[in-house]
Amino acid sequence: MSAFLGLPPPAGPSPPPSPTEAPSSALRPWRARRPAAQWLPNPVLIPAHAPCPANPTMLQGFEWYMPADGAHWGRLAGALPALAALGVSSVWIPPACKAARPEGNGYDIYDLYDLGEFEQKGTTRTKWGGKKELVALVKEAEGFGIGVIFDAVLNHKAAADYSEEVIAERINPKDRRKVVGEEGVIQAWTGYEFPGRRGAYSPLKWNKEHFTGIDYDDRIRENGVWKFRGKEWAEDVDEELGNYDYLLVHSSLGGESWVETDKRALHSMFADVDHRHPDVRRDLFYWAGWLRSQMKLGGLRLDAIKHYSFEFLRDFITHIQQHVDPNWFLVGEYWREDSEFLARYIEYMGHRISLFDVQLVTNLSKVSLLGEKGDLRQVFDDALVVWKPNNTVTFVVNHDTQDGQSLETPVAPSFIPLAYSLILLRANAGIPCVFWSDLYGSFGQHPRPDRGNFIPPNSGGAVLPKMMLARQLWAYGSQFDYLDQPHCIGFTRHGHPARSGGDGLAVVMTNGWAFASKKMFVGEAHAREVWTDVLRWCPGKVVIDSAGWGEFPVACRSVSVWVNRAAQGREFVDSFVFNHDIYGFEKEAEEAARRGAEIAAQRALERLDIAERGGRHDRQ
């Protein structure tokens, strides 16, 4: 296997450390901010002869509260034709490795090498399904031109197989640089035998030497932060809480400590991985190549990288590009509302990684929750996409920001279509990531067996798919911005001859309670065309004048996407109906109604037969 991968075997030498010409201290910024009004290029001019590749679109292919039925890989595979039709180019799947519990989402990771193949932790499959179904999903996605982005959780391990005595010192959880107790012996769950796997794929068995600390002392049955003797937190990590090498994962996976909610999980605490240990480095580097040998992925989503050693991650990325797959798309989750810092981080990584735009999501939330008092001109202020548009993944909601999660960042429901138009239809604006629940709905924090509290997708599931189609067909060419009023903004895309015959679009939105309009330039090439709203929220038509200008209206508290009514693909978009019933609820209801009608009809026939027999008896 090792020879096939072209990698050193797990027992071989550890990869060399990276150079330190740019220490992490150089990343600490002076907190410069970039107001959108001053930093967004306007216009963005794209010549007609310039290359015009198709717009990429990512889908986050899960939400936090999905059922633990093991059917997700098959469910997602069945959705691929529709997703490809919407222009989805990549799907970010949930962590596919064996979790601490059968219902674990995978961030409570137990074994990197078990993708639902071995009987471990009470299950063979994961919450999402088995390895066979996962491999089939990836292969099916490749056939549709969709890359699968694998969620890699490399910062911690959970659900150890046995505990060990460790000499450790207790650390202040609010400032990880400070010791708050005397050094002593604790009982730590740090032993990983992986008995179900029996050494398959990797012989490494983890123990206390492979971790820097833990969050639970089983001897006194108490939560806290303990750092092991002979270990130090990595210095090149985020400085939140003094040093954020160690994320207290058990308190962030849903907002409650497992100790408080599940006494059976007392031994399932999370241990902080020591990325400097040669065994760990060697095994994680090897794992990336092993993963590539199991299925043809499109890339990795790297979880919680603010807690990684920056140098380790740079080494890991270099290894992937040189020995695994140089075409993998890598995106990291670094949750920090400081786009200058994130821009420097991207530079430190050699622009080989993209990051999610945290500041933009925060802006969307703040502006949306202010209602008509929100200033739409401020949506892009200091957003990462303003700093590094080519290394940014934008989003509106994800599994961490949805209701009830540790990073909950609510966006007002009425504002969600406006937010998606801003990330899906603009030029020079990163790669947009559409959230699963905004296409298919959510089970919510407290799902009921009767699904009575299921939350359907925004706007009945009809608007977002049409925006995605508009991105695929018409969101090309030069862009002109009209981000000039607090409650009504807009922008236009002039189209590109290589896409849909050069048809473009115009977007206008308002958070006010009255109809609004904006005069915008769509290009002389579109003179005398008649444009209508693809979303059908604003009636009427706009006739483009001979100079290429139009007055585009928008209904109150909404967004309109105006396109030539004769544009290429317009008939398809107007008639397109997206099936968001991925769980089969509507089919079940239809089947129940059909069975009910059959039963009612049968009973009616039985009553009629009884009545007829009674009449015959009376006549006799």
Side-chain angles (χ1 to χ4, degrees), residues 418-491:
L418 285 69
Y420 270 112
S421 71
L422 291 170
I423 71 170
L424 285 170
L425 303 178
R426 292 178 56 77
N428 200 33
I431 297 177
C433 184
V434 174
F435 186 44
W436 175 271
S437 297
D438 291 327
L439 273 183
Y440 295 113
S442 171
F443 286 88
Q445 295 183 62
H446 309 290
R448 298 202 310 251
D450 65 356
R451 302 188 296 269
N453 55 351
F454 183 81
I455 306 167
N458 189 271
S459 304
V463 170
L464 181 54
K466 289 188 181 295
M467 281 192 190
M468 296 171 71
L469 289 172
R471 172 177 175 79
Q472 183 186 16
L473 291 168
W474 308 306
Y476 298 99
S478 297
Q479 174 176 283
F480 284 73
D481 275 338
Y482 300 86
L483 312 180
D484 52 353
Q485 295 178 3
H487 306 303
C488 182
I489 60 173
F491 59 91

Side-chain angles (χ1 to χ4, degrees), residues 203-500:
L204 181 63
K205 296 180 179 180
W206 294 56
N207 59 53
K208 61 186 178 183
E209 298 300 325
H210 300 117
F211 303 101
T212 58
I214 201 160
D215 60 358
Y216 184 73
D217 179 2
D218 197 45
R219 175 169 297 192
I220 61 174
R221 293 185 173 268
E222 190 171 314
N223 287 100
V225 179
W226 282 269
K227 181 161 64 70
F228 298 165
R229 173 186 279 185
K231 300 288 186 176
E232 295 296 337
W233 307 131
E235 291 296 329
D236 53 340
V237 295
D238 196 86
E239 73 275 17
E240 186 179 349
L241 302 180
N243 178 296
Y244 219 174
D245 182 348
Y246 188 14
L247 168 66
L248 286 180
V249 186
H250 75 274
S251 62
S252 67
L253 295 179
E256 292 183 281
S257 168
W258 285 10
V259 175
E260 296 171 358
T261 59
D262 187 353
K263 296 301 181 183
R264 297 171 301 171
L266 286 172
H267 63 283
S268 299
M269 295 301 99
F270 292 74
D272 184 55
V273 169
D274 182 0
H275 291 119
R276 290 168 294 191
H277 195 287
D279 289 350
V280 171
R281 284 175 59 90
R282 184 163 47 245
D283 198 61
L284 293 182
F285 281 48
Y286 178 81
W287 174 80
W290 171 83
L291 187 63
R292 172 65 180 84
S293 76
Q294 302 299 298
M295 62 196 82
K296 190 176 180 181
L297 295 169
L300 298 180
R301 183 259 185 188
L302 297 160
D303 180 61
I305 60 175
K306 70 188 293 183
H307 311 285
Y308 287 29
S309 159
F310 299 162
E311 289 185 9
F312 167 79
L313 187 56
R314 188 170 63 172
D315 289 351
F316 187 69
I317 291 171
T318 299
H319 174 76
I320 287 173
Q321 292 195 326
Q322 293 180 355
H323 300 288
V324 180
D325 192 330
N327 297 315
W328 269 8
F329 176 73
L330 304 176
V331 57
E333 181 229 359
Y334 198 123
W335 198 267
R336 179 165 173 157
E337 294 178 36
D338 186 340
S339 292
E340 181 187 6
F341 174 86
L342 297 184
R344 292 188 179 199
Y345 186 91
I346 290 169
E347 292 168 359
Y348 181 75
M349 297 296 170
H351 291 88
R352 296 173 297 177
I353 189 172
S354 295
L355 298 178
F356 292 100
D357 198 334
V358 176
Q359 186 64 61
L360 178 59
V361 168
T362 301
N363 293 348
L364 293 171
S365 176
K366 290 179 179 178
V367 170
S368 73
L369 296 178
L370 286 172
E372 66 276 15
K373 296 181 180 179
D375 191 334
L376 296 176
R377 297 170 299 181
Q378 298 175 357
V379 164
F380 287 105
D381 280 359
D382 203 41
L384 183 61
V385 76
V386 177
W387 289 80
K388 295 289 182 182
N390 296 325
N391 292 86
T392 297
V393 174
T394 56
F395 67 104
V396 177
V397 189
N398 71 17
H399 67 294
D400 282 325
T401 70
Q402 66 182 128
D403 293 349
Q405 288 305 297
S406 58
L407 299 174
E408 181 176 344
T409 312
V411 177
S414 63
F415 198 83
I416 286 178
L418 285 69
Y420 270 112
S421 71
L422 291 170
I423 71 170
L424 285 170
L425 303 178
R426 292 178 56 77
N428 200 33
I431 297 177
C433 184
V434 174
F435 186 44
W436 175 271
S437 297
D438 291 327
L439 273 183
Y440 295 113
S442 171
F443 286 88
Q445 295 183 62
H446 309 290
R448 298 202 310 251
D450 65 356
R451 302 188 296 269
N453 55 351
F454 183 81
I455 306 167
N458 189 271
S459 304
V463 170
L464 181 54
K466 289 188 181 295
M467 281 192 190
M468 296 171 71
L469 289 172
R471 172 177 175 79
Q472 183 186 16
L473 291 168
W474 308 306
Y476 298 99
S478 297
Q479 174 176 283
F480 284 73
D481 275 338
Y482 300 86
L483 312 180
D484 52 353
Q485 295 178 3
H487 306 303
C488 182
I489 60 173
F491 59 91
T492 62
R493 302 295 302 278
H494 290 199
H496 192 282
R499 297 287 167 184
S500 302

Side-chain angles (χ1 to χ4, degrees), residues 51 142 146 170 204 210 215 246 295 310 343 358 389 398 528 549 553-554 603 606 611 614 616:
E142 182 187 2
I146 297 175
R170 195 162 190 169
L204 181 63
H210 300 117
D215 60 358
Y246 188 14
M295 62 196 82
F310 299 162
V358 176
N398 71 17
R528 290 175 292 279
W549 289 79
V554 59
R603 290 177 177 174
E606 291 173 354
R616 286 196 300 271

Side-chain angles (χ1 to χ4, degrees), residues 167 177 241 303 523 529 536 574 589:
I167 300 176
R177 300 165 300 179
L241 302 180
D303 180 61
E529 291 178 353
R536 299 181 180 179
D574 287 344

